[in-house]
Amino acid sequence: LIVLHGTLIAQTQSQGETLLRNGSNLFGETKYDDSIRIFREIILDSEQSGYHDEAYFWIAKSYIALRQYEDAEKNLEFFITEFPDSPYLPESLYQRGRLLFLRNEHEAAILALQEHIEGYPDSSFVANSYFWIGEALYARGQFESARDIFSVVVNQYPSSFKVEAARYRVSLIDLKEREEELLKLIQWSHEEYL
C-alpha cells in the first residue's frame, strides 16, 4: 500500500511538471489561449495543488500578453496574496508594475515598480523595473526625471536588454530639449527684430 501511494504521488508530480512544461512551451510559442487552458487544468486538479502557484503566475502573464488586463490583474493579485512564499513572487511584483503601466496607471506603476526594486534589489527584473518607471515618467511629461531613470538603466545595467530602448528615450529627451531651446531662441530673435 505504501509503495502504491508513493507511485501515485510520483505520477501526480510528473503529471504536474509535464503540464507546466507544456503550458510554458505554449506560452513561449505565443499560444497564450492554449497555455491558459493547460494552466487551468492544473488549478482544477486538487492533486496538483503543489503547482497551483506557478499555474496562476503563468495565467497572469498569459493574460498580460493577450492584453486582457482585467483578467491578468485578478490572477496576479490572487497569486501575490495566496502564494507569498513562491519563488515567482519577485517577478510577479515586477509584472504588477508593468501591468499598471500598460493600463495607463502611471503613478501606481511607479510605486509598484519601486516596491519591487526595494524589496528585491537582486532580482533579474530590477533593470526592467527602472525602465518602466522611466517610461511612466516620460508618459507623464516628467522628462528630466525620466532621463535620470533611463540613465540608471544605461549606466548601472549595461547588459540589460532594455539598454538600447533606454538610450533611445534619453536621445529623444535630449532632442526635445534642444528643440525647445531653439524655439526660445527663434522667439527671442523674432521679438528683438520687431
Side-chain angles (χ1 to χ4, degrees):
L1 185 62
I2 294 174
V3 172
L4 181 60
H5 180 69
T7 302
L8 288 174
I9 291 173
Q11 286 175 345
T12 300
Q13 288 175 337
S14 176
Q15 181 185 12
E17 290 169 5
T18 300
L19 288 170
L20 279 174
R21 188 170 40 257
N22 291 344
S24 60
N25 287 341
L26 288 167
F27 180 90
E29 296 169 5
T30 68
K31 296 177 181 175
Y32 305 119
D33 286 319
D34 294 333
S35 71
I36 289 170
R37 277 192 282 284
I38 298 285
F39 296 129
R40 279 198 181 131
E41 189 178 326
I42 295 169
I43 290 168
L44 293 173
D45 185 349
S46 61
E47 291 182 10
Q48 304 296 329
S49 63
Y51 300 100
H52 286 185
D53 65 328
E54 230 174 310
Y56 275 107
F57 172 76
W58 282 103
I59 287 172
K61 281 184 68 167
S62 297
Y63 278 128
I64 291 171
L66 288 168
R67 298 181 181 171
Q68 294 178 13
Y69 300 140
E70 191 173 315
D71 290 326
E73 181 181 21
K74 287 176 190 172
N75 283 279
L76 195 56
E77 291 305 322
F78 181 83
F79 169 83
I80 291 168
T81 302
E82 295 299 315
F83 305 104
D85 298 325
S86 171
Y88 291 94
L89 185 65
E91 184 182 349
S92 70
L93 295 176
Y94 158 71
Q95 293 293 346
R96 174 197 275 166
R98 190 170 151 259
L99 177 61
L100 289 164
F101 175 82
L102 293 170
R103 293 179 66 157
N104 294 316
E105 297 177 37
H106 299 131
E107 183 64 31
I110 291 168
L111 294 173
L113 292 163
Q114 285 174 333
E115 178 186 351
H116 170 254
I117 292 167
E118 291 167 9
Y120 300 93
D122 297 327
S123 165
S124 60
F125 292 94
V126 168
N128 294 15
S129 288
Y130 277 116
F131 177 81
W132 289 108
I133 289 171
E135 285 289 283
L137 292 167
Y138 187 90
R140 293 178 62 164
Q142 296 174 291
F143 301 118
E144 193 66 37
S145 296
R147 179 198 292 122
D148 292 343
I149 296 296
F150 289 130
S151 294
V152 168
V153 176
V154 171
N155 297 323
Q156 294 182 21
Y157 302 94
S159 61
S160 168
F161 71 92
K162 291 291 189 187
V163 166
E164 288 308 313
R167 279 191 185 124
Y168 176 72
R169 282 295 195 209
V170 168
S171 69
L172 284 180
I173 293 167
D174 290 344
L175 283 172
K176 187 176 216 43
E177 282 184 356
R178 281 189 223 124
E179 182 181 294
E180 287 174 9
E181 288 173 12
L182 186 59
L183 286 173
K184 284 179 188 174
L185 183 61
I186 290 171
Q187 184 179 13
W188 175 79
S189 176
H190 181 71
E191 288 172 0
E192 286 294 313
Y193 177 75
L194 292 175

